């Protein structure tokens, strides 16, 4: 499903021969048309949310993904640091700091790990 701005607001995928969706997802956008939230239900039982924030240049600043699993929530927090841009202002190098941990229903948090990954991309303009 799409809204009046032609932005995808709902997506449902049902495997052939099944009546249960593989995934049901809903998308939310800000006033600039940037996706800020995704809510998804997987196999009718596993729920995820993804929240995205952007900096003043409209580059992704932070993404927080929560995977709800019965008595705990798996969390991945990604923060982006931009290192290089091309002549058109698009990023060509950035660093992603991903912090993963678990939150339990009793309030306990279990730290898993933090990983820093460099990302590079080449954009070919026509």
């Amino acid at each position: 499903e799409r809204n009046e701005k032609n932005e995808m607001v709902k997506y449902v995928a049902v495997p052939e021969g099944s009546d249960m969706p593989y995934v049901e997802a809903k998308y939310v956008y800000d006033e600039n048309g940037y996706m800020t939230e995704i809510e998804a239900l997987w196999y009718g039982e596993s729920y995820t949310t993804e929240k995205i924030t952007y900096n003043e240049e409209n580059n992704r600043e932070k993404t927080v993904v929560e995977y709800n699993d019965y008595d705990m929530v798996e969390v991945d927090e990604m923060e982006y640091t931009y290192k290089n841009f091309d002549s058109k202002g698009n990023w060509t190098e950035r660093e992603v700091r991903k912090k993963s941990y678990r939150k339990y229903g009793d309030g306990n948090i279990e730290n898993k790990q933090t990983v820093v990954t460099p990302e590079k991309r080449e954009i070919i303009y026509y």
Side-chain angles (χ1 to χ4, degrees):
E1 292 178 24
R2 294 185 178 272
N3 63 17
E4 64 281 348
K5 296 178 182 176
N6 203 31
E7 298 165 334
M8 185 183 301
V9 293
K10 185 176 180 183
Y11 175 80
V12 179
V14 180
E16 190 174 321
S18 175
D19 58 351
M20 178 188 282
Y22 164 72
V23 64
E24 292 181 65
K26 294 179 183 177
Y27 306 90
V28 177
Y29 301 84
D30 67 13
E31 62 279 353
N32 298 315
Y34 290 99
M35 190 177 300
T36 59
E37 190 169 336
I38 304 167
E39 295 179 353
L41 182 62
W42 299 87
Y43 302 105
E45 60 183 49
S46 181
Y47 186 73
T48 63
T49 59
E50 183 171 341
K51 295 186 179 189
I52 306 162
T53 58
Y54 300 88
N55 63 20
E56 7 351 284
E57 290 85 30
N58 293 320
N59 288 312
R60 195 175 281 216
E61 185 173 56
K62 186 173 184 178
T63 303
V64 178
V65 182
E66 293 188 353
Y67 310 90
N68 292 284
D69 187 20
Y70 302 106
D71 66 338
M72 70 174 169
V73 178
E74 295 272 346
V75 180
D76 288 332
E77 293 182 4
M78 284 79 66
E79 292 184 353
Y80 306 89
T81 304
Y82 294 88
K83 305 288 187 179
N84 242 334
F85 295 85
D86 66 11
S87 62
K88 298 195 183 288
N90 294 306
W91 70 268
T92 55
E93 292 183 55
R94 71 180 181 185
E95 186 177 88
V96 182
R97 178 177 295 278
K98 180 179 177 184
K99 180 180 176 185
S100 300
Y101 56 93
R102 289 187 180 127
K103 295 190 304 188
Y104 292 93
D106 62 5
N108 285 330
I109 293 178
E110 177 183 291
N111 286 327
K112 288 171 53 176
Q113 64 179 340
T114 298
V115 177
V116 178
T117 307
E119 293 184 343
K120 291 184 179 186
R121 69 179 183 177
E122 179 182 352
I123 303 171
I124 299 171
Y125 297 99
Y126 294 93

